[in-house]
Amino acid sequence: MTHVHTRSEIHLNLFATACGHHAAAWRAPDSAVERIGAIEYWEQLAQLAERGCLDAFFLADGQALGPGSAPVRYFDPLTTLAAVARATERIGLVATISSTFWTPFPAARMLASLDHLSGGRAGVNVVTSMTDAEARNHGMDRLPGREQRYARAEEFIVAMQGLWDSWEDGAVRADRDGAYLDAARIHPVDHRGRYFEVAGPLTVPRSPQGRPVVLQAGASEPGRALAARYSEGIYAVAWDAQAGRRYRADLRRRVAAAGRNPDDVVVMPGLVTEVASTEREARARRAELDALLPVAESLRQLSFFVGQDASDWELDAPVPELPPVEEFTGPVGRYATVLRMIETRQPTVRELLGLLAAGGGHATLIGTPEQVAETMLNWVDSGAADGFNLMPPTLPGSLEDVVEQLVPELQRRGRFRREYRETTLRERWSRE
C-alpha cells in the first residue's frame, strides 16, 4: 500500500559540496573555488543552512580523486563537522563513512565524539564505496563484490551500534570521594563476526543521542535491504515523482517486513533547484552554467555512469541504446536513473550531459519559488518523498536562493518550520 502524506512539514537536508553540484559551477567568474580550502567557508555554508532552519548539513566522501577535474570535496568530513559543530547550534551534522574501508571502533568513537561536541546532532551515512581506485588506496586490488560489501556493511553497523550501547546513561559518576566510573554500567561488546572482532567497550561515554542517527543511500537490492533494517534516513535517487513513489513504497514495505515502523524512516530524494523571481531568469542561469561545461570531461563522467566508453558518441544524436539494468555490473542505482532519464526525455547526448551536470540524474526543478515549492509538495503529498536532500547547483549562491526565496514560500504554506523546536537530529526526524 502506498503511504500518502497528510499535510505535514517536509524535511530539507543540505548536501554540501565544494562550489556546488553543477560540474561547471567552479568555473563561473563569481565562484567560491578559491575559498573551499578555508574551514570558514564550510562553517558559513552550515550557518546559512541553519538560518533557513534546514534539518541537517551533510558531507559525502570518497577515498580517491574522482574522474573529473571539478572540485568535489576538500577536507575529511568528520574533521570538517567537528569545526562546524562549534560554529552552529541546531542543524544536524551528517558525515559519510565507508564500511568497506573503516573498522567499527574508530568510526563509533569519532561519531560519538561528534555527537558530544554538537549536543546530539550527529548522523552517519554508511556507504560501501564505488570504485577500484578507492580500494587501491586501502591495500586492495579492487573493490570486493557488491554482496560482500553489503554483508560487511551490515556487520559494521551492528558492531558500531554495539559500541555505542556499551555505556549506559549515568556510567560517569565523577564521585571525588569514590569512583569516576560506575563499572556496572559499562559493558563489553565481544563482537565476533565474519569481518570484525570488537571487544569493547567504547572509550567515549554514551553520547546525547545514545546512538548517532544512521542513514543509507543504497539503491541496489542489497542496499535497500540494508536500509530497511537499519536506516533512519535514506538519501534516495529519483528522477521524477513516479520513480520516487516506486522507491519509497518499496522501502516502506521492506521496513515493515523488517519489523520496524515505516514512519520512522525519512526518505529524501536528491533535488537540484534553480530558483529565481521568474522562470525565464532561472532557466537563463542554468543555461549559463551548462555553457561552461567542458564536453570531453562530461563525456568521461557519462562513460563512468553507463560503464562504457561514450567519448565518440555523436553529441546531437539520440543516446545509443544501452543494456538493461540487469546486465550492468557497476553502481546500479545511478545507471537505472540514467535509463529513466533517457526513457522520459528522449534526449540527445548533449542534452543528457546537461541533465547529468548537476546531480547526475537527481530530480531537477527550475523556476520561481512558487513553482518549485508546488512541485516539491506534490512529491511529498503523493508519497514520493518525505522531504529532499538539497543539491544546490552553485554554493553559496543557489543555497542563498533556497534560504531567502524557497524556504519562505514553504513556510507561507505552513509546510516548513520557522524555528527549530528539537535539540537532537533524531527528534527532528521522528514522527512522534
Side-chain angles (χ1 to χ4, degrees), residues 217-219 224 234-249 267-272 333-334 336-338 340-341 344-345 358-365 375 379 383-389 391:
R224 293 180 190 213
I234 311 273
Y235 294 142
V237 179
W239 169 244
D240 53 22
Q242 181 184 342
R245 281 190 292 274
R246 203 161 48 229
Y247 178 86
R248 184 171 173 274
V267 179
M268 295 170 286
L271 176 63
V272 179
R334 183 56 48 79
T337 302
V338 172
R340 178 86 183 146
M341 293 167 76
T344 57
R345 297 280 180 99
H362 288 276
T364 300
L365 298 179
T375 305
W379 275 56
D386 297 298
F388 298 93
N389 190 24
M391 303 170 63

Side-chain angles (χ1 to χ4, degrees), residues 217-284:
S220 65
E221 178 64 29
R224 293 180 190 213
L226 183 71
R229 288 194 289 275
Y230 300 101
S231 290
E232 298 164 79
I234 311 273
Y235 294 142
V237 179
W239 169 244
D240 53 22
Q242 181 184 342
R245 281 190 292 274
R246 203 161 48 229
Y247 178 86
R248 184 171 173 274
D250 178 62
L251 234 296
R252 289 176 65 84
R253 275 195 301 270
R254 292 170 187 258
V255 170
R260 302 170 62 211
N261 182 353
D263 286 344
D264 290 341
V265 182
V266 177
V267 179
M268 295 170 286
L271 176 63
V272 179
T273 59
E274 193 73 72
V275 182
S277 54
T278 67
E279 183 179 347
R280 183 175 179 179
E281 183 187 347
R283 293 196 176 281

Side-chain angles (χ1 to χ4, degrees), residues 345-364:
R345 297 280 180 99
Q346 303 288 309
T348 63
V349 172
R350 191 188 301 276
E351 289 166 343
L352 180 61
L353 295 180
L355 292 170
L356 287 166
H362 288 276
T364 300

Side-chain angles (χ1 to χ4, degrees), residues 98-117:
S98 172
S99 57
T100 303
F101 306 126
W102 282 68
T103 58
F105 187 88
R109 182 172 67 161
M110 294 183 79
L111 287 159
S113 299
L114 180 63
D115 206 43
H116 278 290
L117 288 175

Side-chain angles (χ1 to χ4, degrees), residues 397-412:
S398 300
L399 177 59
E400 289 170 352
D401 295 333
V402 165
V403 170
E404 293 167 8
Q405 299 181 61
L406 181 58
V407 164
E409 178 61 24
L410 292 166
Q411 290 169 335
R412 189 179 66 75

Side-chain angles (χ1 to χ4, degrees), residues 316-335:
D316 294 307
V319 179
E321 191 167 339
L322 294 170
V325 71
E326 293 78 17
E327 296 175 18
F328 191 67
T329 57
V332 169
R334 183 56 48 79
Y335 183 68

Side-chain angles (χ1 to χ4, degrees), residues 27 53 66 70 121 140 147 218 290 315 327 341 344 364:
R27 298 177 183 276
C53 293
R121 296 185 280 141
M140 308 175 188
E147 298 291 339
D290 286 349
L315 288 176
E327 296 175 18
M341 293 167 76
T344 57
T364 300

Side-chain angles (χ1 to χ4, degrees), residues 11 263-264 266 422 425-432:
H11 296 278
D263 286 344
D264 290 341
V266 177
E422 324 81 8
L425 179 57
R426 179 168 288 107
E427 287 170 329
R428 190 163 303 146
W429 283 349
S430 163
R431 298 284 175 82
E432 294 175 4

